[in-house]
Structures are given as C-alpha cells and as structure tokens.
Amino acid sequence: MFILFIKTNRNVFMTARNGRDFTGKVVLVTGSSSGIGESVVKLFSALGANVVVTGRKADRVNRVAQEAQQLSPKKLQPLAIVADVTKSVDLNNLLNETIKTFGKLDVLVNNAGMGLFSPVKDSNFMKVFDTLIKVNLKPYLKLTHLAVPYLEATNGSVISISSVIGMVPLSDFTVGGCVIGFDRGYNTGFVTGNLTRGADPEMTKMLQQEMFKRIPLQKVGQPLDVANAAVFLASKDAQYITGANLVIDGGILYNSGGIL
Ligand SMILES: NC(=O)c1ccc[n+]([C@@H]2O[C@H](COP(=O)([O-])OP(=O)(O)OC[C@H]3O[C@@H](n4cnc5c(N)ncnc54)[C@H](OP(=O)(O)O)[C@@H]3O)[C@@H](O)[C@H]2O)c1
C-alpha cells in the first residue's frame, strides 16, 4: 500500500511536467489579431493547440494565423475568421465555424476590447460607457453563453480578460475599458499594445503615467506576460482554480492604495 502511494505520487509529478501541453485542445481567442490576444493565440499554438484567430481586419487575422502556424510543433493550420464581436451574427458564425472545423471547444479566451476612458464630468461619459458595454462586456457574455454547452462537453475553461481599472476607484469616477472577470478571469495592468487607439490621447497619457508610477517592478507589461497567465489558467496546473481573478499588473494594484 505504501509503495503504491509512492508510485502514484511519482506519476502525478511526472504528468505535471506536461501541464502546458495543449496537443489535441481547441482554443478560441477573440481579439487575437493584435496585442495581448495575438500573444495568447500564438502561445497556445506553440504549445500544440488547434487555435482560432479572429478580429475585424482580414489582413491582421491572416498574418497572425500564418505566424501562429509557424509556431505550432505540427504546423497545425489555425482557423482564421473575420468577425466583429458586437454583431450577434458574427459571434454565432465564429462558434459554428470553430465546431464545424475542429469538432469541439476546450478553451474560450474573451479578449477583444478597446481602451476608452472618460471622467464622470465629461460630456461623452455615457457615450463612452455605452460603447464599452457594447464592445467590452456584451460580447463576452454572449459568446460565453453560446460556448457553454461545448465547454461542458470538454470540461473546458473560459478566461475573460479585464483591467485592474475595474478593481480600484479612479479619480473623478472615470469609466474605463474593463470587465470584471467571471468564470476564470484575469485583470491586466498596463501592457504594451494598440488598445487605446480610439481613446483621447491626453487622457490616455495621463492614465498611463499615473499607472507607471505605481508599478513596483518599474516596467510595462508585455503581451506574453498575460499570455503565460492565460495558458496557466487553462492548463492542468490550474485544474483546482475556478472563478479566480488573477491580477497581472507588475504590482499596480498592490501599490495603488485604493486611488489611481
Ligand atoms: N494593454 C493594456 O494595457 C490593457 C490593460 C487592461 C486591459 N486590457 C484588455 O486586454 C484586451 C486586449 O487589449 P490589447 O492591449 O491587446 O489591445 P489591442 O492591441 O488593441 O487588441 C485588441 C484586439 O481586439 C480586437 N477588437 C477590437 N474591437 C473589436 C470588435 N468590435 N470586434 C472584434 N474584434 C475587436 C482588435 O482587432 P481589430 O481592431 O482588427 O478588430 C484586436 O485584435 C482588451 O480587452 C483590453 O480591455 C489591456
């Protein structure tokens, strides 16, 4: 009995060495045509998964799909789909094509979003809020709703990318691009990317300077920092983690003292 116990434990540890092997898994990452989503989809591809690359711009989607294929150990061809997550018909098509092509879904990463900021006194405040609900929140809920039956069948995971802005009070009650994670989620701090291309440049600069001052690690995060966390949450290593809110921010939240 004692020997069996040792053996079992050894196998568990040996299996854990392959925790990041996603061979045979199907991973759909929204907003994977640039920034964080691009790194997430490429890392899953490099770890053996069949991946779905998507965004609104065909040229970017195709470029990332080609680069992800080069990273795949077996040169698996990603499914490349042009979709606008604010359109129900596109979300239905995204999921239907995924199932038609790969037959199942193991991991859904809700990532597509935009970075807009607006203080409560701003005349655009409610307009910005409505846009963020339309782009950053509703599609997460809708796609998760559509995907749940397939994820139940594979005992899969949902990972939803949000922002630390959803976790700390902002001066002037600024509305920012955030979704509080549900299922398995994580909150991103300040990561290089094109997120704020539609935002007010002055506001963006001010927020980024304020955030940078609060990063104890004194460096801006890279998309791969977030991708590593996504892979961890979807891996066997995280099989006893669910409903968790993982913060990847170089310490911004820890260092914020409640006010940003
Ligand atoms: N970077 C940061 O510092 C930071 C901080 C906190 C949270 N986040 C969150 O991280 C996520 C990714 O941000 P990022 O920095 O990687 O931004 P990014 O480089 O701008 O990437 C955003 C991705 O979302 C896609 N997208 C945007 N609107 C879309 C729509 N309506 N339909 C379909 N796809 C759409 C974009 O593709 P197309 O434009 O081609 O459609 C692109 O692939 C966002 O949800 C953001 O809120 C980022």
Side-chain angles (χ1 to χ4, degrees):
M1 196 61 186
F2 182 63
I3 291 168
L4 183 65
F5 175 70
I6 301 278
K7 264 191 177 168
T8 307
N9 259 339
R10 188 170 189 282
N11 286 342
V12 167
F13 288 116
M14 297 312 274
T15 308
R17 296 202 299 195
N18 302 323
R20 279 164 57 108
D21 182 359
F22 283 84
T23 304
K25 302 288 182 187
V26 178
V27 182
L28 163 56
V29 185
T30 67
S32 40
S33 59
S34 98
I36 291 170
E38 175 177 344
S39 274
V40 172
V41 90
K42 283 180 172 174
L43 188 54
F44 274 111
S45 185
L47 294 170
N50 279 298
V51 296
V52 183
V53 181
T54 182
R56 287 167 302 179
K57 309 260 165 39
D59 54 339
R60 289 191 214 161
V61 170
N62 292 332
R63 173 188 62 79
V64 174
Q66 273 170 18
E67 290 173 12
Q69 184 171 12
Q70 288 313 309
L71 291 165
S72 167
K74 292 186 181 156
K75 301 286 174 276
L76 297 175
Q77 187 177 6
L79 175 62
I81 301 191
V82 174
D84 181 338
V85 294
T86 65
K87 295 181 180 158
S88 270
V89 63
D90 284 15
L91 289 179
N92 281 315
N93 185 49
L94 186 57
L95 197 60
N96 289 343
E97 285 301 311
T98 301
I99 301 303
K100 207 166 100 186
T101 306
F102 298 124
K104 63 169 186 159
L105 180 66
D106 295 281
V107 182
L108 167 64
V109 183
N110 286 310
N111 165 75
M114 55 197 302
L116 295 178
F117 313 99
S118 179
V120 70
K121 290 181 194 158
D122 197 284
S123 57
N124 276 337
F125 182 72
M126 285 313 294
K127 201 171 156 210
V128 169
F129 177 78
D130 286 343
T131 304
L132 289 172
I133 295 292
K134 191 175 156 200
V135 180
N136 289 26
L137 178 61
K138 241 178 131 180
Y140 278 33
L141 299 173
K142 166 93 182 173
L143 194 55
T144 302
H145 167 70
L146 292 174
V148 157
Y150 300 105
L151 292 168
E152 276 182 347
T154 56
N155 198 21
S157 311
V158 182
I159 297 166
S160 296
I161 305 211
S162 181
S163 168
V164 286
I165 288 175
M167 301 177 78
V168 279
L170 288 164
S171 57
D172 275 345
F173 183 54
T174 301
V175 61
C178 62
V179 170
I180 299 299
F182 57 101
D183 300 302
R184 291 176 179 185
Y186 54 45
N187 280 280
T188 306
F190 176 18
V191 176
T192 55
N194 307 307
L195 181 71
T196 53
R197 61 186 143 210
D200 173 356
E202 281 303 305
M203 185 79 187
T204 301
K205 199 172 152 200
M206 189 274 286
L207 271 171
Q208 290 183 339
Q209 282 170 346
E210 284 305 308
M211 282 177 119
F212 190 74
K213 276 191 227 160
R214 289 163 171 76
I215 301 178
L217 295 185
Q218 282 297 295
K219 58 178 181 183
V220 174
Q222 297 302 309
L224 196 57
D225 294 325
V226 184
N228 275 317
V231 161
F232 165 68
L233 284 176
S235 74
K236 286 193 191 113
D237 294 347
Q239 64 188 352
Y240 201 58
I241 299 175
T242 194
N245 205 354
L246 182 58
V247 177
I248 305 122
D249 70 344
I252 293 177
L253 201 59
Y254 167 78
N255 217 16
S256 284
I259 303 289
L260 200 63

